[in-house]
Amino acid sequence: MGGFTVKTSLTRRLGAIAVAGIVAASLAACSGGDGGADAGTGDDGGAPEKASLTVAINPSTQFAPLYYGLQEGIFEEHGLELEITPQTDIAAIVSGLASGTYDVGFATVVHAVTANANGIPIRAITSIEGQIQEDDEGTLTIASAESGITDFAGLEGKRVATVGLSSHNTLTMWELVDRAGADAASIELVQLPFGQMAAALESGDVDAAIMQWPFAAEALAAGGVELGYNNRELFEGTATTLFNTSQSFVDQNPNTVRAFADAMAESIEGASADPETAKAALVDGLGITEEQAAGARWNVGGDPALNVDAFEVARDLLVKFSTDESAKAALEKLDVSTIVWSGAL
């Protein structure tokens, strides 16, 4: 099995909720005051309090709008300079937001809900690609050509690669398997970076993988079978991929948060209007080839505004698949509307 990280027990996978292990001991010192999601909307038109931002991302072609905005000078027009830090561990990004290592960072709606249920007040300030549409081509589950799997029900008892054992991708896959009438708890998860999944499918180390572009292209070219686009099935009309910051950063830098959110909204709309230019921006941005960039996919045309629907769905799914009663209780009492910075709605 080499460097694969595998867990088979649903209790072990989700019992403590996805990021319960995120530097809990440092939380009180790092998270700052809980001023609520309405604090500091940055509507006074002032210059950003902090112009140079460290932004953590989990690299994939979903970030085409971000790189489009950087290439076209949109962030510069809003008075911002971004230092992009690639980070494949979303829990580490959330931890970095809490500690102040990162000013802004990517996390899915599942990570945002989980963090807040564990007392880590991060706030969603913008989507990275807009609200999911009915033809979204982002996250998809692919079975290997040799597995014989043709639908989500076929994943029962199989080995599935996922970027995080308790990630948004894993949760959506479990739900789709459950809806298909199969036993989600029987699935053996294999934690892998997106870039290693196609090789794992081809070698037979896993039967299926939950993937992002451009990595999915390699798996499909090798005969992989599309089982479905996870977010399209479960989250249409709401955003699941988010840029977040801490509540303390919102309190201290309201104009900066407003400038970043406005720049991202313009970048999302610009990338949708000119996807070829956005694809080209990925060559330097992600360090991929022109051929890979040409095949890039993301949620082109998505509405940049956030709403609370995705947070409600994510909370319900976390409750459904958690076997830890204290975790369920924390989730059930969480007011998900507090997770979203009001300026993003």
Side-chain angles (χ1 to χ4, degrees):
M1 291 302 300
F4 290 177
T5 300
V6 181
K7 293 186 180 179
T8 59
S9 166
L10 184 59
T11 302
R12 292 175 61 196
R13 282 187 251 148
L14 199 55
I17 327 183
V19 291
I22 297 176
V23 199
S26 65
L27 178 58
C30 299
S31 63
D34 187 2
D38 290 334
T41 56
D43 291 324
D44 63 4
E49 296 86 358
K50 185 173 184 180
S52 181
L53 302 179
T54 301
V55 180
I57 70 168
N58 184 14
S60 75
T61 59
Q62 294 177 105
F63 290 94
L66 171 70
Y67 285 112
Y68 172 87
L70 288 168
Q71 176 180 276
E72 298 301 304
I74 294 173
F75 288 92
E76 184 178 0
E77 290 172 2
H78 285 270
L80 299 175
E81 179 181 345
L82 308 186
E83 178 185 347
I84 307 300
T85 302
Q87 172 59 266
T88 59
D89 185 348
I90 308 302
I93 294 178
V94 174
S95 175
L97 292 173
S99 68
T101 301
Y102 306 127
D103 300 310
V104 176
F106 167 77
T108 68
V109 63
V110 167
H111 286 94
V113 169
T114 302
N116 280 274
N118 282 278
I120 303 173
I122 66 169
R123 304 292 177 239
I125 59 174
T126 177
S127 65
I128 68 167
E129 54 177 346
Q131 296 175 12
I132 300 297
Q133 301 169 97
E134 63 179 9
D135 60 349
D136 170 61
E137 294 186 318
T139 303
L140 73 159
T141 302
I142 300 174
S144 71
E146 293 74 25
S147 69
I149 299 169
T150 58
D151 55 25
F152 280 99
L155 296 178
E156 183 171 287
K158 302 299 184 181
R159 292 168 54 81
V160 178
T162 180
V163 72
L165 298 176
S166 299
S167 66
H168 176 91
N169 290 353
T170 300
L171 200 66
T172 57
M173 182 270 296
W174 282 339
E175 174 64 7
L176 291 170
V177 168
D178 183 72
R179 290 186 181 188
D183 181 12
S186 70
I187 295 170
E188 184 178 3
L189 297 180
V190 178
Q191 186 170 0
L192 285 176
F194 291 126
Q196 296 179 22
M197 290 182 181
L201 284 170
E202 188 171 5
S203 67
D205 286 318
V206 297
D207 302 297
I210 314 161
M211 302 188 71
Q212 293 282 355
W213 304 88
F215 315 103
E218 183 180 351
L220 293 175
V225 179
E226 291 184 10
L227 303 186
Y229 289 81
N230 300 33
N231 289 330
R232 182 196 301 179
E233 297 293 331
L234 302 176
F235 288 94
E236 183 182 341
T238 192
T240 63
T241 51
L242 314 165
F243 272 127
N244 309 268
T245 191
S246 66
Q247 179 64 54
S248 60
F249 191 89
V250 172
D251 294 341
Q252 296 166 21
N253 304 280
N255 292 334
T256 300
V257 173
R258 167 58 65 190
F260 185 89
D262 287 349
M264 270 307 304
E266 290 183 30
S267 298
I268 291 169
E269 291 171 344
S272 291
D274 189 2
E276 295 308 312
T277 297
K279 290 178 181 181
L282 290 168
V283 175
D284 290 335
L286 291 180
I288 61 178
T289 67
E290 291 184 0
E291 182 180 3
Q292 287 175 318
R297 301 188 192 184
W298 70 95
N299 185 42
V300 177
D303 183 341
L306 297 184
N307 57 45
V308 300
D309 295 354
F311 299 87
E312 293 171 345
V313 172
R315 178 190 56 197
D316 292 346
L317 291 178
L318 283 163
V319 169
K320 177 178 179 177
F321 289 104
S322 177
T323 57
D324 184 289
E325 292 304 318
S326 63
K328 287 184 179 181
L331 286 160
E332 288 170 343
K333 73 178 183 180
L334 177 66
D335 180 0
V336 295
S337 67
T338 64
I339 303 174
V340 186
W341 172 63
S342 61
L345 294 170

